[in-house]
């Protein structure tokens, strides 16, 4: 789903909502595969996203423009293919490298919206000019959760009782650096922003005092309206490392987690198309498996743990999305909601009272 699709949904929903400028919430989930109940996954426990999907347009043929965060996010946020943005990696900024393209939030901002970002929307670093594309895209400074600084810290409790830098990393949240996790902080910030924005809503103007001339026509002031918002909230999980509150493992007993049906090397696959998962191999738990490079398979037992962790991290994100949508429905019931994984699957809806 690209920028033009989201804009079309805004126009369609505006008619249904009876408003020319409805509020918009864009949810972006990092490295989300279609492991959701609404996409037919029999294992996934994702009740909040599934509930959103029931009242949504669900896209079943939404493909990744590029299987990497930087180019794929730049693509759907500028509505241009990587061949146009000339971005296939994470080493350049499109405005300087390819063209001064208008972004999705910039478009909304240029058309009267207050645009706000929390969490991972643009890919960080040079891809978004180390600024989340400021000053072009956002009305406020983008929010990034401070605990994201501990992404690679050794915080995963191993069987030896020590802390490690692992891929599979269920944790006790209160024991983490900062006493929280990035997506929890992003969700709380977004909920607080919605409540604060609701508190800014102008009240209807008071009628003017009685005119001394009884024959004069009294004209009441019109009710003031609040500026519409475009709020983009980006969740880091289930991107690796699979760090999530450990209670979400209870949803997926290890014996119930199936192995991937396509876990072998496909016959005739050209080497350029094979990902030897270098970004996993240096983690302590993966390194300890001593898997041969580049085609060695991961042992079935640990592959099952990785899949369990991915499902649990997805359910963790689903729970946070549920908290956010509950607040949105209470404060701003006529809001368009667009949901997208940054490498493909997407759905869009609007919440109505």
């Amino acid at each position: 789903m690209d920028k033009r699709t989201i804009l079309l949904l805004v126009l369609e929903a505006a008619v249904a909502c009876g408003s020319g400028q409805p509020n918009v919430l864009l949810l972006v989930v990092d490295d989300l595969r279609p492991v959701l109940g609404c996409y037919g996954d029999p294992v996934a426990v994702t009740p909040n996203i599934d509930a959103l999907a029931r009242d949504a347009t669900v896209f079943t043929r939404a493909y990744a423009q590029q299987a990497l965060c930087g180019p794929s996010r730049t693509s759907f946020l500028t509505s241009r293919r990587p061949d146009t943005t000339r971005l296939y990696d994470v080493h350049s900024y499109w405005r300087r490298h390819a063209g001064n393209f208008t972004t999705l939030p910039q478009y909304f901002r240029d058309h009267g919206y207050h645009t706000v970002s929390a969490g991972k929307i643009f890919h960080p670093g040079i891809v978004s000019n180390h600024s989340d594309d400021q000053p072009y895209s956002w009305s406020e400074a983008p929010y990034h959760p401070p605990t994201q600084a501990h992404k690679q810290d050794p915080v995963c409790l191993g069987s030896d009782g020590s802390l490690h830098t692992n891929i599979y990393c269920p944790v006790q949240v209160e024991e983490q650096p900062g006493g929280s996790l990035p997506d929890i902080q992003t969700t709380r910030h977004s909920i607080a922003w919605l409540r604060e924005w609701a508190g800014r809503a102008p009240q209807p103007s008071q009628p003017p005092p009685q005119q001394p001339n009884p024959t004069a026509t009294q004209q009441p002031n019109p009710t003031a309206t609040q500026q519409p918002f475009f709020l983009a909230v980006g969740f880091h999980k289930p991107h690796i490392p699979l760090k999530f509150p450990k209670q979400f493992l209870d949803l997926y007993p290890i014996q119930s987690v199936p192995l991937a049906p396509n876990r072998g090397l496909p016959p005739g696959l050209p080497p350029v198309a094979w990902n030897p998962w270098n970004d996993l191999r240096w983690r302590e738990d993966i390194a300890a498996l001593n898997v041969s490079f580049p085609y060695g398979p991961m042992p079935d037992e640990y592959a099952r743990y990785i899949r369990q962790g991915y499902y649990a991290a997805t359910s963790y994100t689903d729970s946070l999305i549920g908290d956010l949508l509950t607040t949105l429905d209470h404060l701003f019931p006529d809001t368009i909601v667009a949901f997208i994984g940054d490498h493909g699957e997407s759905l869009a809806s609007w919440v109505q009272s």
Side-chain angles (χ1 to χ4, degrees):
M1 181 171 62
D2 63 13
K3 181 174 71 175
R4 288 165 294 186
T5 305
I6 296 175
L7 290 174
L8 178 61
L9 289 165
V10 169
L11 294 175
E12 291 178 346
V15 174
C17 294
S19 169
Q21 289 188 302
N23 296 316
V24 180
L25 171 65
L26 172 64
L27 302 172
V28 182
V29 182
D30 206 353
D31 281 6
L32 178 65
R33 296 162 55 86
V35 291
L36 304 169
C38 58
Y39 279 94
D41 191 300
V43 179
V45 181
T46 51
N48 298 293
I49 296 172
D50 296 346
L52 177 65
R54 283 194 289 272
D55 295 321
T57 299
V58 179
F59 293 82
T60 58
R61 297 178 65 89
Y63 301 111
Q65 298 281 24
Q66 184 82 3
L68 191 66
C69 291
S72 64
R73 288 171 182 259
T74 298
S75 179
F76 73 72
L77 287 167
T78 63
S79 192
R80 286 168 173 81
R81 295 186 175 94
D83 285 344
T84 301
T85 64
R86 296 165 57 194
L87 182 64
Y88 305 98
D89 49 37
V90 293
H91 303 306
S92 57
Y93 178 43
W94 80 90
R95 291 191 190 273
R96 294 180 183 151
H97 185 68
N100 191 28
F101 305 131
T102 299
T103 69
L104 175 65
Q106 182 182 0
Y107 182 91
F108 277 101
R109 186 180 182 188
D110 290 346
H111 288 77
Y113 278 73
H114 187 85
T115 58
V116 185
S117 171
K120 185 179 178 182
I121 299 300
F122 285 99
H123 191 78
I126 188 57
V127 180
S128 55
N129 202 33
H130 298 285
S131 66
D132 291 285
D133 193 46
Q134 284 293 73
Y136 304 101
S137 288
W138 309 108
S139 305
E140 302 179 12
Y143 171 82
H144 291 284
T147 55
Q148 182 64 10
H150 305 289
K151 174 182 177 179
Q152 310 294 9
D153 287 5
V155 298
C156 312
L157 184 64
S159 57
D160 59 358
S162 300
L163 296 177
H164 299 274
T165 303
N166 293 343
I167 285 295
Y168 180 82
C169 191
V171 300
Q172 292 281 9
V173 173
E174 63 275 8
E175 297 175 0
Q176 292 302 291
S180 189
L181 291 173
D183 288 340
I184 293 174
Q185 292 184 312
T186 293
T187 303
R188 289 176 177 172
H189 173 87
S190 302
I191 288 173
W193 186 90
L194 287 168
R195 289 172 175 165
E196 192 271 338
W197 189 255
R200 293 186 193 178
Q203 300 301 313
S205 300
Q206 296 297 318
Q210 182 67 43
Q211 299 291 332
N213 182 358
T215 62
T217 303
Q218 183 172 313
Q219 298 291 338
N221 292 336
T223 300
T225 58
Q226 188 175 23
Q227 183 183 15
F229 63 77
F230 173 87
L231 171 61
V233 181
F235 297 89
H236 287 275
K237 298 304 155 192
H239 190 289
I240 60 172
L242 300 171
K243 188 189 306 180
F244 53 87
K246 66 183 300 183
Q247 63 265 28
F248 286 93
L249 289 177
D250 295 341
L251 299 173
Y252 304 99
I254 191 65
Q255 65 273 13
S256 71
V257 178
L259 290 168
N262 55 348
R263 60 188 182 277
L265 178 67
L269 183 79
V272 71
W274 178 260
N275 181 357
W277 31 281
N278 290 324
D279 48 353
L280 275 67
R281 289 177 181 271
W282 66 270
R283 318 280 175 156
E284 293 179 53
D285 55 343
I286 303 299
L289 300 175
N290 198 29
V291 177
S292 61
F293 182 89
Y295 300 119
M298 184 179 292
D300 285 354
E301 179 184 11
Y302 213 79
R304 208 181 294 273
Y305 276 113
I306 295 297
R307 286 171 61 81
Q308 180 199 39
Y310 188 90
Y311 275 114
T314 302
S315 291
Y316 158 55
T317 300
D318 176 84
S319 72
L320 297 175
I321 288 173
D323 293 342
L324 181 59
L325 292 179
T326 296
T327 301
L328 182 77
D329 191 31
H330 175 68
L331 296 176
F332 300 99
D334 294 324
T335 298
I336 297 170
V337 180
F339 174 99
I340 186 170
D342 62 352
H343 302 313
E345 67 290 321
S346 58
L347 56 92
S349 182
W350 61 87
V351 182
Q352 290 186 297
S353 56

